[in-house]
């Protein structure tokens, strides 16, 4: 029978406790989301600065729509590249001290495009083990030999570098890691790249809009020159609150991508109105009021969690994971929190390494201090209630975990 594996694979996921389902958000207002008629405080969004609902950003979308229409109408090399796209590229390039910038419909597409264009024939990619799936997928699909170094382990990175044979080496890491919320030692990455004549690439999806004096991510935070970090990828769907992504680098790199990156060439450009809105959101990012609020919220969360004896990871970012260790327990905790009006997604294998299933709390500038206090109280109560249940049914739950 054709594709009979589909049912079997789904049943396997169910049995292992890793089966996934989508949750439909009916509406959202002031950081509260409505799902199936219930309301929850949202601790599961990457909208770190609360810009998705910012009045100025919404107004910019509307003005962009009036000027350019709903969509771009074509791929960028045909007639889809507008003055709005060009302005966003130019503003970003100048802010990041790069020659040029290229816009993509998503970070996923940008990572794929980069790997496939740079490694159409051969080369070596040496990537942090915790790099995002979009990069790993792109690297795997490219002609490069992909090696992965243990998370933030620069000795291992050096060891892997010494095994490379081509003269085209790309070292890849993230500004802020999406599941752990921690950051690499960027100086060590730069030194490794210099010592091995490799290029350093940073995926700044969770750093762009958040870190650095102007909120422009790793380049801003560590003052990285184009030579030190020849490729940076950032996204607009997280802290910036719109959608899309960019790659910044030299004139030659961007020109090469325009000519060879199939994800760019054969895909409709994102709506110009999105570029107008993104440009406005960027001006708010650099002004910094929302970033200041976010960082105050992160500090408050960590201080209160420490006070209450909750175990946190070494993250100073908006991503604050609470590792639970088993997929069933992570899902049970998330459900218990939902009962208390708190929406905190569980992240399970294969999104995170086996045995590190967790709650992934994301904080935002739109949270009030009392929201964060409610989260801490909820975590403590949910933990107690799960532990009490676990005494009776832990064995069962681990053997027959379902959603
Ligand atoms: C979200 C994310 C991406 C993908 O970006 P999209 O614009 O959502 O496709 C890439 N890398 C990392 C680290 C991410 O967290």
């Amino acid at each position: 029978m054709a594709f009979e594996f589909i049912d079997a694979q789904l049943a396997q996921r169910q049995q292992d406790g890793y089966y996934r389902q989508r949750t439909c958000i009916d509406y959202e207002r002031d950081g509260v989301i409505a799902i199936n008629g219930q309301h929850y405080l949202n601790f599961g969004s990457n909208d770190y600065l609360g810009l998705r609902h910012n009045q100025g950003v919404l107004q910019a979308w509307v003005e962009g729509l009036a000027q350019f229409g709903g969509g771009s109408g074509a791929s960028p090399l045909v007639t889809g590249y507008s003055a709005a796209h060009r302005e966003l590229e130019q503003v970003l390039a100048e802010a990041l001290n790069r020659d040029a910038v290229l816009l993509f419909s998503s970070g996923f597409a940008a990572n794929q495009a980069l790997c496939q264009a740079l490694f159409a024939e051969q080369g070596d990619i040496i990537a942090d083990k915790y790099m995002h799936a979009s990069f790993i997928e792109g690297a795997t699909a490219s002609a490069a030999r992909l090696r992965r170094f243990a998370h933030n382990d620069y000795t291992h990175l050096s060891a892997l570098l010494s095994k490379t044979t081509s003269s085209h080496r790309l070292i890849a890491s993230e500004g802020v890691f999406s599941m752990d919320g921690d950051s690499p030692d960027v100086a060590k990455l730069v030194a490794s790249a210099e010592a091995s004549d490799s290029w350093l690439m940073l995926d700044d999806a969770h750093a762009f809009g958040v870190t650095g004096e102007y909120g422009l991510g790793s380049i801003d935070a560590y003052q990285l020159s184009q030579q030190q970090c020849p490729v940076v990828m950032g996204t607009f769907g997280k802290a910036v609150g719109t959608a899309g992504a960019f790659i910044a680098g030299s004139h030659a790199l961007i020109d090469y991508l325009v000519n060879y990156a199939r994800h760019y060439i054969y895909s409709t450009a994102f709506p110009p109105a999105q570029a107008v809105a993104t440009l406005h959101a960027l001006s708010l990012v650099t002004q910094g009021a929302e970033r200041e609020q976010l960082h105050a919220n992160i500090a408050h969360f960590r201080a209160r969690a420490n006070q209450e004896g909750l175990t946190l990871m070494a993250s100073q970012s908006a991503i604050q994971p609470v590792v639970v260790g088993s997929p069933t327990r992570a899902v049970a905790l998330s459900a218990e929190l939902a009962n208390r009006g708190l929406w905190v997604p569980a992240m399970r294998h294969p999104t995170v390494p086996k045995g590190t299933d967790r709650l992934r709390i994301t904080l935002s500038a739109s949270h009030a201090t009392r929201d964060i206090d409610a989260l801490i109280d909820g975590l403590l109560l949910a933990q107690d209630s799960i532990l009490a249940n676990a005494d009776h049914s832990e064995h069962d739950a681990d053997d027959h975990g379902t959603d």
Side-chain angles (χ1 to χ4, degrees), residues 46 105-109 111 131-135 174 176-178 203-206 233 235-238 243-245 360:
N46 300 321
S105 299
S106 73
F108 199 102
N111 276 341
M131 284 288 289
H132 192 258
S134 58
F135 183 85
E174 295 187 3
V176 169
F177 283 91
S178 55
D203 177 334
D204 240 7
H206 295 278
M233 195 287 286
T235 64
F236 306 131
K238 287 161 180 153
R360 179 175 179 270

Side-chain angles (χ1 to χ4, degrees), residues 92-387:
L92 267 171
E94 189 168 336
L96 293 169
N97 210 3
R98 293 300 185 264
D99 288 351
V101 158
L102 194 66
L103 302 176
F104 287 86
S105 299
S106 73
F108 199 102
N111 276 341
Q112 301 277 309
L114 180 80
C115 290
Q116 292 183 30
L118 284 185
F119 298 99
E121 283 173 17
Q122 50 136 327
D124 289 285
I125 297 176
I126 311 96
D128 190 288
K129 187 114 195 169
Y130 286 4
M131 284 288 289
H132 192 258
S134 58
F135 183 85
I136 298 301
E137 288 291 314
T140 307
S142 78
R145 164 102 197 242
L146 170 66
R147 292 181 175 84
R148 300 174 76 176
F149 61 97
H151 181 51
N152 287 344
D153 181 341
Y154 309 103
T155 312
H156 192 207
L157 168 60
S158 293
L160 292 183
L161 273 169
S162 69
K163 290 187 184 164
T164 57
T165 49
S166 84
S167 47
H168 312 302
R169 284 176 285 258
L170 186 75
I171 298 172
S173 185
E174 295 187 3
V176 169
F177 283 91
S178 55
M179 288 299 136
D180 287 27
D182 60 341
S183 291
D185 184 332
V186 171
K188 290 220 165 98
L189 288 171
V190 169
S192 288
E194 272 171 5
S196 58
D197 190 27
S198 309
W199 275 15
L200 172 62
M201 181 269 183
L202 287 177
D203 177 334
D204 240 7
H206 295 278
F208 187 71
V210 177
T211 67
E213 188 181 350
Y214 300 99
L216 297 167
S218 301
I219 302 302
D220 180 7
Y222 306 106
Q223 294 294 304
L224 298 173
S225 69
Q226 186 168 292
Q227 196 177 352
Q228 290 171 314
C229 183
V231 190
V232 61
M233 195 287 286
T235 64
F236 306 131
K238 287 161 180 153
V240 178
T242 58
F246 70 89
I247 290 175
S250 69
H251 285 303
L253 173 69
I254 299 307
D255 201 21
Y256 178 76
L257 291 174
V258 167
N259 280 276
Y260 289 95
R262 306 172 71 80
H263 297 78
Y264 186 74
I265 299 166
Y266 297 108
S267 185
T268 301
F270 69 58
Q274 187 177 315
V276 176
T278 301
L279 198 56
H280 185 81
L282 274 178
S283 73
L284 299 175
V285 164
T286 51
Q287 283 165 36
E290 291 84 5
R291 278 188 291 128
E292 202 173 308
Q293 186 60 53
L294 171 66
H295 291 296
N297 286 351
I298 295 168
H300 180 70
F301 172 80
R302 288 188 64 85
R304 273 230 48 206
N306 281 328
Q307 216 171 31
E308 303 290 351
L310 287 166
T311 310
L312 298 179
M313 294 182 77
S315 162
Q316 301 303 318
S317 73
I319 302 163
Q320 294 291 330
V322 175
V323 172
V324 181
S326 101
T328 42
R329 196 123 23 106
V331 169
L333 263 175
S334 177
E336 189 63 35
L337 287 166
N339 285 337
R340 299 170 193 281
L342 300 159
W343 198 264
V344 184
M347 294 288 164
R348 292 170 288 169
H349 177 76
T351 303
V352 296
K354 234 187 185 122
T356 71
D357 307 280
R358 66 194 62 182
L359 294 172
R360 179 175 179 270
I361 296 164
T362 50
L363 300 172
S364 164
S366 57
H367 292 133
T369 305
R370 66 173 180 280
D371 298 339
I372 293 167
D373 289 338
L375 170 65
I376 300 274
D377 294 344
L379 279 169
L380 294 169
L381 289 167
Q383 253 183 357
D384 287 349
S385 121
I386 296 292
L387 284 178

